Amino acid sequence: MESIQSFLATVPWWGWVLFFLFILFLRDIIQRKHTITHNFPIIGHIRYMLEKIGPELRQYIVANNREELPFNRSQRTWVYASSKKQNNYTGFGTDQDQASPGFVFINPTMLPYKPAPNHPNVTQVDLIPCAKVMGLYNKRKRPFRPKSIVNISAMSFGSLSAKAIESLNKGAKKAGCYHNTGEGSLSYHHQHGADIVFQFGTGYFGVRTPEGNFDMNKMVKLVNDYKYIRAIEVKLSQGAKPGKGGVLPASKITKEISEIRHVPMGKDVISPSTHTAFSTIPELLDFIEDIANNTGLPVGFKSAVGKLDMWEELTDLMVERNIGPDFISIDGGEGGTGAAPPAFANHVSLPFVFGFSQVYQMFKRKNLTDRVVFIASGKLGFPSSALMAFSMGADLINIAREAMLSIGCIQALSCHTNTCPAGVATQNKWLQAGIDPTLKSERFYNYAKTLRKEILEITHACGYEHPCQLEMTDVDMSMGDNNYTTTLRQIYNYEKVPVDFISMQNLIECEHLGGREDKA
């Protein structure tokens, strides 16, 4: 034994390296699972190493500022700089190809809007409440005017980490934004003071019976217990994977998630692709009314857009029965924060501009636009794209991935692997430990404030007081190589219905304004 130890002690370090390489060489030529390493022992591993770090190499070294998707480097840099209160300006003019098809131009006026000395935005440069009130037309007991036109879209605890949710909620409270829970139910991490939009999907997490059906008694209790829940959203589908359910593996169900979602531990939980509480459009309308009558809150739904026959049926019934959702979230097919099959993420459902324009025109034809608050989502967390949405008829913007970027997401594209290096989209305790909610909440607040401030500045440049006043002739789009632009009105062949707007001061004085300390 001593002689063996003596021999091992005399072997130099490079001898151990050669021994390891020899073993690896033998292993490579014997195995048949990987052709490359069999045919090219040892060297073949370099290929797999480069493939593994390929996204990072392209992100930081190969791709230019405008190449990457879903968010290019210039977009991410603007969010990062805004969230850190750094210089987010650009120098020496634009570096974008303004002749490329789909490039957005916002049309300024010769004489911009000038706020009076006592105007609220003179001191509060980013304060922009929603121009409409959720639930006012349908006479809900607790109508809701969101204090911010920019809010946090549906992202569940479980998909995002506890510290990420906490950071967003604390930042939303400071910014006056509402925070959509996502279909994973209301967790402790959502309860740091921001207004809440409670969302549930086909799994009815948090408001479900042991069999997995919707439980109205639990819904009523939740609303009564937590007064900062200001609206309820029924998720029909989302842009990333419309019409597809999901599986929550037993391995991911912690005691905390079990209690929040009202699901058993040690057993896979299936979210079906369809709802059990309703199966037709008339039943959906009855379901919405039932929830609204029992809770007193505005109730709406979220949906991606594809076939329009059920949208036609919905609007016809709204006219006929004089009931309907208080708000509708239109989610573009380009959206998505979690895991989705590539075929769904890439090809199922329309992008925001196409889906929204078709749905909005339908509501316009039937004189229903004033009854509904239209919420837009799908890569709209930038001033130009947000203003384009407002000019098309949107009333609010929901942001998801942009909010994640503001609290440290680096677009590692690993949301579906539980290995998010920034600790944002993972349940790994070690990876989450790097998130300081005090710091990150401030960064979301800075980003939301900067986004609203720039939206308002461009709105004033167009001659308006509030973004709701923008019309479809205020935005042009490049047609590409034919060297001309055309207005959104010409492209989509409709004009937005004017929103009833008096003044910014009038919105701020509204008794239903969100962001108040008294949520009763």
Side-chain angles (χ1 to χ4, degrees):
M1 188 68 177
E2 291 182 3
S3 60
I4 295 175
Q5 291 177 342
S6 300
F7 171 74
L8 294 176
T10 60
V11 178
W13 66 267
W14 50 266
W16 289 111
V17 172
L18 290 176
F19 177 73
F20 171 77
L21 292 175
F22 176 70
I23 297 299
L24 184 61
F25 176 86
L26 291 178
R27 179 256 182 199
D28 286 346
I29 62 175
I30 292 172
Q31 62 85 33
R32 292 291 185 270
K33 185 177 181 180
H34 300 288
T35 304
I36 295 298
T37 51
H38 174 270
N39 293 346
F40 303 93
I42 301 177
I43 297 175
H45 290 279
I46 299 175
R47 183 263 179 199
Y48 291 109
M49 290 172 60
L50 292 173
E51 180 184 44
K52 188 169 184 178
I53 64 173
E56 288 78 10
L57 291 174
R58 290 189 293 274
Q59 184 177 34
Y60 296 109
I61 299 175
V62 179
N64 67 35
N65 286 346
R66 302 287 175 185
E67 277 186 336
E68 297 172 273
L69 292 173
F71 296 95
N72 62 46
R73 187 178 300 145
S74 291
Q75 292 172 318
R76 299 198 312 275
T77 299
W78 182 83
V79 174
Y80 295 148
S82 299
S83 68
K84 297 173 185 177
K85 299 183 74 172
Q86 296 174 347
N87 186 344
N88 64 0
Y89 284 27
T90 185
F92 215 63
T94 182
D95 63 350
Q96 299 201 48
D97 179 9
Q98 293 184 307
S100 61
F103 191 88
V104 171
F105 300 92
I106 298 171
N107 299 320
T109 183
M110 290 180 67
L111 299 173
Y113 172 81
K114 183 179 180 180
N118 62 344
H119 193 281
N121 290 131
V122 171
T123 54
Q124 296 174 287
V125 296
D126 68 307
L127 178 59
I128 323 175
C130 181
K132 292 180 182 176
V133 180
M134 293 180 180
L136 197 62
Y137 178 87
N138 291 314
K139 300 179 180 177
R140 309 304 188 199
K141 293 178 183 177
R142 292 180 60 200
F144 174 45
R145 185 191 297 276
K147 189 177 181 180
S148 170
I149 59 167
V150 175
N151 299 283
I152 299 175
S153 193
M155 294 182 285
S156 302
F157 167 58
S159 177
L160 264 58
S161 68
K163 289 193 175 182
I165 294 290
E166 179 183 347
S167 300
L168 291 173
N169 194 265
K170 288 181 175 178
K173 174 179 170 54
K174 188 171 182 180
C177 305
Y178 68 66
H179 188 178
N180 191 307
T181 63
E183 63 179 314
S185 190
L186 179 71
S187 71
Y188 166 76
H189 314 291
H190 290 98
Q191 300 175 39
H192 295 280
D195 288 330
I196 290 292
V197 173
F198 179 82
Q199 186 196 79
F200 64 85
T202 59
Y204 305 112
F205 296 128
V207 288
R208 60 187 263 143
T209 66
E211 297 75 31
N213 297 316
F214 179 74
D215 189 328
M216 182 64 77
N217 291 329
K218 286 186 176 180
M219 181 82 262
V220 172
K221 185 178 187 306
L222 194 71
V223 170
N224 290 338
D225 288 348
Y226 303 102
K227 293 299 183 182
Y228 40 78
I229 298 178
R230 301 302 304 271
I232 298 168
E233 182 175 78
V234 184
K235 176 186 165 184
L236 302 183
S237 61
Q238 66 187 85
K241 48 181 180 181
K244 181 172 177 58
V247 178
L248 183 63
S251 59
K252 288 189 176 182
I253 303 177
T254 63
K255 187 175 185 295
E256 184 179 20
I257 289 176
S258 172
E259 292 173 351
I260 291 167
R261 299 197 180 196
H262 299 178
V263 296
M265 293 187 66
K267 181 180 178 182
D268 292 347
V269 177
I270 309 296
S271 292
S273 57
T274 58
H275 280 267
T276 57
F278 55 88
S279 57
T280 65
I281 297 299
E283 289 176 356
L284 169 62
L285 287 177
D286 290 337
F287 185 59
I288 288 173
E289 289 302 304
D290 196 22
I291 295 175
N293 290 335
N294 278 277
T295 64
L297 296 183
V299 181
F301 66 82
K302 174 181 179 178
S303 180
V305 179
K307 295 181 179 181
L308 297 175
D309 52 345
M310 288 188 175
W311 289 96
E312 288 280 6
E313 184 182 3
L314 171 70
T315 50
D316 286 340
L317 286 171
M318 288 176 66
V319 172
E320 177 186 333
R321 300 177 59 185
N322 198 33
I323 61 172
D326 300 297
F327 63 93
I328 296 176
S329 299
I330 300 294
D331 199 20
E334 62 271 66
T337 55
F344 273 83
N346 296 336
H347 301 288
V348 183
S349 84
L350 294 172
F352 169 77
V353 289
F354 302 126
F356 183 87
S357 61
Q358 294 189 45
V359 169
Y360 185 87
Q361 289 182 72
M362 199 177 297
F363 277 76
K364 179 186 176 181
R365 286 197 302 270
K366 298 168 187 179
N367 298 315
L368 295 170
T369 57
D370 61 330
R371 291 167 50 172
V372 176
V373 173
F374 290 101
I375 304 175
S377 64
K379 294 181 69 174
L380 301 176
F382 303 92
S384 59
S385 53
L387 284 163
M388 179 187 68
F390 277 105
S391 74
M392 295 175 69
D395 301 300
L396 294 171
I397 301 295
N398 273 3
I399 54 172
R401 288 169 294 180
E402 299 92 324
M404 292 167 63
L405 290 170
S406 75
I407 63 169
C409 166
I410 62 170
Q411 191 172 282
L413 307 181
S414 59
C415 306
H416 58 298
T417 65
N418 202 37
T419 59
C420 170
V424 175
T426 178
Q427 297 306 303
N428 183 294
K429 298 294 185 183
W430 172 260
L431 295 173
Q432 289 186 57
I435 296 180
D436 177 3
T438 301
L439 171 65
K440 298 301 186 181
S441 62
E442 189 71 17
R443 289 189 175 175
F444 171 77
Y445 163 69
N446 292 336
Y447 160 68
K449 182 175 180 177
T450 302
L451 174 57
R452 292 190 307 230
K453 175 177 174 289
E454 294 197 10
I455 287 174
L456 197 58
E457 289 173 343
I458 299 174
T459 297
H460 290 173
C462 293
Y464 302 118
E465 183 180 2
H466 191 284
C468 75
Q469 296 174 284
L470 263 75
E471 301 175 355
M472 294 191 72
T473 52
D474 290 312
V475 179
D476 276 24
M477 191 172 286
S478 172
M479 294 292 101
D481 293 338
N482 51 19
N483 295 319
Y484 75 90
T485 66
T486 187
T487 64
L488 294 181
R489 179 182 181 181
Q490 292 171 300
I491 295 171
Y492 298 110
N493 198 32
Y494 76 95
E495 185 57 87
K496 163 185 158 181
V497 177
V499 176
D500 185 19
F501 174 76
I502 299 174
S503 69
M504 198 73 80
Q505 185 65 43
N506 178 261
L507 302 184
I508 294 169
E509 293 173 352
C510 176
E511 62 178 315
H512 308 301
L513 186 68
R516 298 178 183 273
E517 292 300 324
D518 56 322
K519 302 290 198 300

